[in-house]
Amino acid sequence: MNTKLVDNIDWVGFVDWNVRDFHGYETSRGSTYNAYLIRDEKTVLLDTVKAPYYANLLRNVSELVPLDQIDYVVCNHAEPDHSGSLPRVMEACPQAVVVCDQKCRETLEQYYDTSAWTFQVVKTGDELKTGRFTLQFVETPMAHWPDSMATYIPEEKILFSMDAFGQHYATSGRYDDEVSCAEAIAEAKTYYANILMCYERPVSKALDYIDNLDVTLIAPSHGVMWRKHVTDILAAYRDWVVCKPEPKVLIMYDTMWKSTEQMAQAIYEGVLEKGVRCDLRYIRATHITVLATEIMDAATVAVGSATLNQTLMPQCAAALTYLMGLRPARKAGFAFGSYGWGKGGPEAVQEYLDKMKIRSLREPLKGRYAPDEAVLEACRAAGRMLAEEALKICEQQENGESPDK
Ligand code: FEO
């Protein structure tokens, strides 16, 4: 089922209610693969959908225009959730020219047999006149892949932003004002944290570019389109791109015989004594998708693990590996955990935190076997420190000072 954006521009994508995994990201609300059809003197299909849903895409398109009248297929991004149907589309529309940037062409050639395809390679500043509309292209490398590109139609002030501003969010509404705004923003935040958080500089550059455009509709490649809350989502991105700290603490831990859990609980109590918000997360009960989202705007963080085989617990290592790749910036914190006849858990956590460039607030906080009252009081004190540091970081942020000072 299609949705009109403006006269002669329609959404023709696919709503995937059932997908629950996107390369490790838990998509608990499903997703959408947004494709758009531009009918003008020239007819353009802007992006495709994930491979299994090519027939849905072709049906949506053919309800509006015969497939043999497609002149161009713009490929803004070669990742298969958007390009997966391209081979079937090119079979159905053999005269269509694929419009993409050079990196995208190279990537498509690696994924698919493109020998029968005609390409028109574009770069930032290039335009494609379709008649009434102009498609202006801007390369946005690393937002999300090197090949990523956005397309802007100035006549309608529509930005087809590709992955940026997307959400893994299956709904019957196609627009932000047809769903709960809070839900849409929350899903956009989860999406940003898990997909784009490590690309601060390229995303900042893309935002700078968008600032110079007159945009009334942002049409991303996943989730709802932004027409009522354009300003809100752009402002949110400005915060997320720098992992802007909230006065909030994240405590995440794995435990073996509940000793590290007791320490985590005591740290939590210390944070709450200072009246600061705190997320307390047992790693084995919390998906990494949630941890990535929560660490993004936490000012300070404590990560704990019991000692297993002289190192940290494997699920803790997995979570930290994921977070390390996403590179949450401008955090401070410390490691904690228990040990017994063997040592090494908290120290191994600290090594991860160092690699993540999390500013260390203290040496690893350790308890042997079961933590005694002295250890638990040290944990409460460390929690108070985490809270105070979180408040200080946020105050520095408000004053325009570096949180690292
Ligand atoms: Fe939605 Fe980077 O693909």
Side-chain angles (χ1 to χ4, degrees), residues 22-23 33 77 79-82 143-145 148 162-163 168 191 195 221-222:
F22 188 86
H23 50 56
Y33 316 110
H77 183 19
E79 192 164 12
D81 51 329
H82 307 294
H144 162 222
W145 279 12
S148 294
M162 198 2 77
D163 280 335
H168 285 313
Y191 184 96
I195 302 278
S221 297
H222 299 286

Side-chain angles (χ1 to χ4, degrees), residues 73-87:
V73 180
V74 171
C75 184
N76 274 326
H77 183 19
E79 192 164 12
D81 51 329
H82 307 294
S83 72
S85 290
L86 200 45

Side-chain angles (χ1 to χ4, degrees), residues 260 263 267 302-305 334-339 346-347 350 362-367 374-383 385:
T260 301
M263 296 174 72
I267 296 167
V303 184
S305 175
F334 64 85
F336 68 97
S338 65
Y339 67 101
E347 291 85 350
Q350 186 61 53
R362 54 157 297 152
E363 73 280 4
L365 177 48
K366 296 183 281 188
V375 169
L376 293 176
E377 181 45 39
C379 290
R380 284 188 281 271
M385 178 188 65

Side-chain angles (χ1 to χ4, degrees), residues 52-116:
Y53 311 114
Y54 76 91
N56 305 74
L57 171 70
L58 292 177
R59 190 181 63 220
N60 288 348
V61 173
S62 61
E63 280 175 5
L64 297 169
V65 68
L67 294 175
D68 62 6
Q69 288 185 20
I70 303 289
D71 296 295
Y72 297 99
V73 180
V74 171
C75 184
N76 274 326
H77 183 19
E79 192 164 12
D81 51 329
H82 307 294
S83 72
S85 290
L86 200 45
R88 304 304 286 262
V89 166
M90 294 306 287
E91 279 172 25
C93 315
Q95 78 295 353
V97 172
V98 177
V99 179
C100 63
D101 65 23
Q102 181 59 28
K103 285 278 183 205
C104 187
R105 176 177 181 165
E106 290 166 14
T107 310
L108 292 173
E109 286 171 345
Q110 296 289 312
Y111 270 125
Y112 313 113
D113 177 4
T114 62
S115 52

Side-chain angles (χ1 to χ4, degrees), residues 11 29 63 77-78 145 153 213 227 249 346 348 361 369 378 394:
W11 179 95
R29 282 200 170 102
E63 280 175 5
H77 183 19
W145 279 12
I153 299 186
L213 298 179
R227 66 179 174 190
V249 176
L361 294 175
Y369 291 111
C394 292

Side-chain angles (χ1 to χ4, degrees), residues 250-255 260-261 263-264 267 281-283 301-307 312-313 315-317 320 334-338 345-346 349-350 353 365:
L250 171 64
I251 302 168
M252 48 183 271
Y253 67 95
D254 197 2
T255 192
T260 301
E261 184 165 85
M263 296 174 72
I267 296 167
R281 297 299 186 190
Y282 175 35
I283 287 168
V301 58
V303 184
S305 175
T307 299
L312 74 174
M313 303 279 284
Q315 288 88 347
C316 186
L320 287 171
F334 64 85
F336 68 97
S338 65
V349 170
Q350 186 61 53
L353 300 189
L365 177 48

